[in-house]
Amino acid sequence: MTDEKHLMIIKKYKNQIITKWIREFIHCYPEYDRKVLKKDAEGFYTYMSDLHIPAAEHSRFLAIPESQKVFLKRNVSISHVVHSSQLWIDAILWLIQENPRGKTISMSLTRKIIARVSLYERYFLHQYNTITKELLSGQEQTITELHEARLTIIGKMAASMAHEIRNPLTAILGFLKILRKQLSIQNYQKISSYLDTIESELLSIQMQIAGFLSFSKKDAIEESFEEVSSTSIIDNVLAMLAPRLVNDNIELIFQQGDDIKLKVQKIAIQQVLSNILNNSLDALSEKEGEKGLKIASMLEDDEFLIIISNNGPEIPPEIKDSLFIPFVTNKKDGTGLGLAICKQIMTKNKGDVTFDSSPNETSFRLSFKQR
């Protein structure tokens, strides 16, 4: 009997072979859907028995790359593929052993079928190995890029921390020098005032560090909420900025509204106010001619507002939409974390910070909900 006739026998018992394979596979891997397996088995059985089509040219063989994508997406173990091939060979050998109605299957045909199954398995494993290497290589590249990006962010945060802390430290050192002189003449009233300023600056540094730590998702010392006078918050910050206003020849107009009790994190809100005022003074340093800074506080509907305006240069249009995003800045020595932290602090204090900028004036608006 020729191989063609022997093949007819195998095709005649197709259902029994497929049933045998599904039963054994489900026994090992009960998580698979029987209907899905039957459809897959039909396709593979056709590949095994289509001996007139070279294995490498068969549609089932050519579909291996797409099959692997499905396997990877479903996170199927490669061991299941290997075991599946073994079960197909076992199903063919089982039919030969059963010797249906005394009909034998030639050894040459058996070897051809087993060779096709083995070729499919080898190519599948080879391609799977190639794809896995490519994925691992891509993941390693991504990890490297993320690591480099993290180092860049750490560097920027370190530079920003140095930038934000440098000013209060400079003020502290200045007042300590003055204290030495005042101690010699026992001017205790001024000494008390200087110590208050130093304490305020140190608290400011503490809150700056807390702000940076909050960006790194680490636990930081959280300032408690308390009722404070809106006027005292503004006065405290202006007192620290007074020397710079004089040195830079900036005219300050303070339109003070009603003194409102705000339940906020006092030091944090002073940090926000100080940051925005310092940004305004930095902007005015680039301006020639009259330099004006205006602060207005007012109660408007259910919000208390503090509006800070200056007649410095307009904020560049290309960064307006992303001004509160970390590391966005147009300052030569800036790092772009100050306003991002301000936004975070205002949100935490049930408020908001917004701005408007034109060639004639730039205004920042701090709003606090009162109800």
Side-chain angles (χ1 to χ4, degrees), residues 287-349:
K287 179 180 174 59
E288 296 182 1
E290 294 184 358
K291 303 175 182 180
L293 179 66
K294 182 169 69 176
I295 302 175
S297 63
M298 66 195 73
L299 191 61
E300 188 176 277
D301 296 329
D302 62 342
E303 290 184 323
F304 178 72
L305 306 176
I306 300 176
I307 301 174
I308 302 163
S309 307
N310 70 79
N311 65 340
E314 180 180 9
I315 294 173
E318 61 269 19
I319 66 170
K320 281 185 177 180
D321 292 338
S322 54
L323 197 60
F324 295 106
I325 296 176
F327 308 124
V328 174
T329 181
N330 67 325
K331 290 184 180 181
K332 182 179 179 181
D333 299 321
T335 55
L337 270 182
L339 286 177
I341 292 176
C342 287
K343 189 78 168 179
Q344 186 183 66
I345 291 173
M346 290 300 295
T347 301
K348 189 178 293 184
N349 283 264

Side-chain angles (χ1 to χ4, degrees), residues 42-306:
E42 293 274 355
F44 195 83
Y45 186 89
T46 301
Y47 162 77
M48 283 196 308
S49 58
D50 283 347
L51 296 180
H52 62 286
I53 303 174
E57 297 176 11
H58 198 279
S59 58
R60 176 77 183 205
F61 193 92
L62 296 174
I64 285 177
E66 290 301 318
S67 300
Q68 288 172 336
K69 291 179 182 179
V70 175
F71 272 61
L72 288 170
K73 186 177 181 180
R74 295 178 180 174
N75 199 27
V76 177
S77 172
I78 192 66
S79 64
H80 294 189
V81 177
V82 176
H83 197 182
S84 170
S85 297
Q86 293 172 350
L87 291 177
W88 277 116
I89 294 173
D90 184 66
I92 295 297
L93 294 177
W94 165 81
L95 179 66
I96 295 173
Q97 183 180 359
E98 287 296 308
N99 192 16
R101 298 183 183 180
K103 298 177 180 178
T104 60
I105 309 298
S106 68
M107 181 59 68
S108 63
L109 177 62
T110 304
R111 291 181 61 185
K112 288 178 183 178
I113 294 175
I114 292 176
R116 286 175 78 89
V117 174
S118 299
L119 179 63
Y120 185 94
E121 178 187 334
R122 289 199 308 274
Y123 185 69
F124 195 102
L125 293 177
H126 171 73
Q127 290 296 101
Y128 193 92
N129 186 49
T130 301
I131 291 176
T132 303
K133 283 183 177 179
E134 290 175 355
L135 288 174
L136 289 174
S137 177
Q139 289 175 354
E140 288 176 1
Q141 179 65 25
T142 300
I143 291 171
T144 300
E145 291 173 356
L146 288 173
H147 179 67
E148 291 175 353
R150 179 170 292 184
L151 289 178
T152 300
I153 290 173
I154 290 172
K156 287 183 177 181
M157 291 188 72
S160 184
M161 182 175 287
H163 177 76
E164 297 292 342
I165 292 176
R166 181 176 55 203
N167 289 338
L169 283 178
T170 301
I172 290 170
L173 289 172
F175 279 108
L176 286 174
K177 289 179 181 178
I178 296 174
L179 274 174
R180 289 182 183 276
K181 294 179 182 179
Q182 297 297 329
L183 282 171
S184 64
I185 58 176
Q186 297 183 345
N187 192 338
Y188 296 116
Q189 185 175 356
K190 285 191 175 181
I191 289 173
S192 177
S193 172
Y194 296 150
L195 287 174
D196 287 343
T197 303
I198 289 173
E199 181 182 20
S200 176
E201 293 288 5
L202 287 172
L203 287 172
S204 176
I205 291 175
Q206 183 186 57
M207 294 312 301
Q208 290 281 0
I209 293 171
F212 286 117
L213 288 176
S214 70
F215 264 88
S216 64
K217 305 301 182 183
K218 299 295 183 182
D219 292 333
I221 300 172
E222 186 69 26
E223 183 186 1
S224 60
F225 288 79
E226 58 178 309
E227 279 198 351
V228 296
S229 159
S230 60
T231 300
S232 69
I233 288 178
I234 298 172
D235 287 343
N236 288 342
V237 175
L238 287 179
M240 290 185 284
L241 292 177
R244 188 174 178 188
L245 291 169
V246 174
N247 291 336
D248 293 353
N249 194 27
I250 296 173
E251 180 186 3
L252 171 66
I253 299 175
F254 181 17
Q255 297 176 343
Q256 182 176 333
D258 294 334
D259 188 12
I260 302 297
K261 290 294 183 181
L262 301 174
K263 191 168 186 179
V264 294
Q265 296 170 306
K266 179 182 176 181
I267 303 301
I269 296 302
Q270 288 183 172
Q271 176 188 338
V272 172
L273 195 57
S274 176
N275 187 286
I276 292 174
L277 282 167
N278 273 298
N279 284 349
S280 296
L281 297 180
D282 289 342
L284 288 170
S285 67
E286 302 175 13
K287 179 180 174 59
E288 296 182 1
E290 294 184 358
K291 303 175 182 180
L293 179 66
K294 182 169 69 176
I295 302 175
S297 63
M298 66 195 73
L299 191 61
E300 188 176 277
D301 296 329
D302 62 342
E303 290 184 323
F304 178 72
L305 306 176
I306 300 176

